[in-house]
Amino acid sequence: MNVCQKLGIVGGSLSFALVSQCFSAQAATLTQTYTVDLGSQPLNSSTNVVLPKFNSMLGTLLKAYVTVKSTVNNSVTITPLTGNFTGTATTNASIAVNIPLLKVDPILSLSVLASPPETKIANRGTGTVSGSASGYVSKSYDSQQSLSALSGCDGDTFIAGLMTTGLTKIQGNPVIGSFGGLVSANTTLTGVYEYEPHANAAVPEPMTAVGTFLAAGMGLWWKRRASKKI
C-alpha cells in the first residue's frame, strides 16, 4: 500500500493541510511534535484525524504522548415567556479520542464545563448568555507494543477518531421560554515523539514532512478526481 492510499480525510478536506511539525533537542534525546488544529467543531459530531507515525529511520522511539486541548464556547439566546428570567445557560461537553491502533489503551476523554455568569432578561424580551471554558488531557505511551504500533517508515500515518458530545442546560427562574444558540468546541490534537537519534541520522528539516503529505495528498486528490471521470 503506498502513501497516497494511507492518507485520510478530515472534515471533507485532506488532513495534510492541518498538520504542523517541529523539532526540539532535550539532552541526549530529540523530540518531534505534530499538531492538528481541527478548528471549531459543533457539539454531538465526530471526525477522523490523521497523524504521522514516528519515522523509525531517525532513531529509537522512547516515549510517545498524545494531547487533546479544547475550548468550549456557548452563546445561547433566551426569551422568557412567563416572567422575568434570572439565570444562565451551562454547557457540559465531552471530547473523546479513540486510537484504534493502540488497542490496549485507546481512549482519551476530556470534560469541559462552560458556565456563563448569571444574567437577567425581562419578560418577553430576548437576551444572550455567553461563556467559554478550556481544558486538556494527555496520555503517555512507553510500552513496547504501543511504541511499535506508533513507529513506521517516512509517510506512514495512523488515524484517531474524535467525538464531541454535550448538552446545554438552562438554569434559572422561570425556565419557560424559547431558547436557541450556538455551542462549539475548538479542538487541537498533538502527537509528540521522544526518541534517541541514530549515530549518523540527520534531523529532517521542519517542512520535510509537510512537503511529503502535500505530495501524497495531491496524488490522492488526483486519483479520486480521475476515478470520478470514468
Side-chain angles (χ1 to χ4, degrees), residues 98-107 141 143 145-146 149-150:
N98 178 49
I99 306 175
L101 189 71
L102 303 177
K103 298 179 182 179
V104 176
D105 192 9
I107 297 177
Y141 304 92
S143 70
Q145 180 179 354
S146 297
L150 292 171

Side-chain angles (χ1 to χ4, degrees), residues 54-120:
F54 171 70
N55 182 2
S56 58
M57 296 296 290
L58 298 178
T60 301
L61 183 60
L62 304 176
K63 185 174 285 190
Y65 305 84
V66 177
T67 301
V68 182
K69 296 182 179 180
S70 188
T71 299
V72 174
N73 303 293
N74 71 5
S75 181
V76 181
T77 58
I78 300 173
T79 303
L81 301 178
T82 58
N84 297 337
F85 174 82
T86 301
T88 189
T90 300
T91 296
N92 190 354
S94 177
I95 298 90
V97 175
N98 178 49
I99 306 175
L101 189 71
L102 303 177
K103 298 179 182 179
V104 176
D105 192 9
I107 297 177
L108 293 83
S109 183
L110 169 65
S111 294
V112 180
L113 178 66
S115 184
E118 186 177 88
T119 189
K120 296 182 179 180

Side-chain angles (χ1 to χ4, degrees), residues 126-229:
T126 298
T128 301
V129 178
S130 300
S132 65
S134 300
Y136 75 94
V137 63
S138 182
K139 279 190 176 182
S140 62
Y141 304 92
D142 56 8
S143 70
Q144 190 56 46
Q145 180 179 354
S146 297
L147 297 180
S148 177
L150 292 171
S151 299
C153 299
D154 185 20
D156 284 351
T157 63
F158 69 92
I159 294 177
L162 184 143
M163 178 176 291
T164 303
T165 58
L167 56 86
T168 297
K169 184 177 181 180
I170 309 298
Q171 298 174 312
N173 183 32
V175 295
I176 299 175
S178 62
F179 316 102
L182 176 64
V183 182
S184 63
N186 294 297
T187 303
T188 300
L189 184 65
T190 301
V192 178
Y193 299 122
E194 183 179 304
Y195 67 99
E196 184 179 68
H198 294 318
N200 299 321
V203 178
E205 294 296 328
M207 290 304 295
T208 299
V210 175
T212 301
F213 285 111
L214 176 61
M218 289 301 293
L220 175 62
W221 174 82
W222 182 260
K223 182 177 180 180
R224 289 168 59 89
R225 184 172 181 269
S227 64
K228 289 181 180 180
K229 289 184 177 182

Side-chain angles (χ1 to χ4, degrees), residues 8-32:
I9 304 298
V10 174
S13 62
L14 290 170
S15 60
F16 70 87
L18 301 173
V19 178
S20 62
Q21 175 188 221
C22 66
F23 296 87
S24 63
Q26 296 179 349
T29 65
L30 293 177
T31 300
Q32 188 179 38

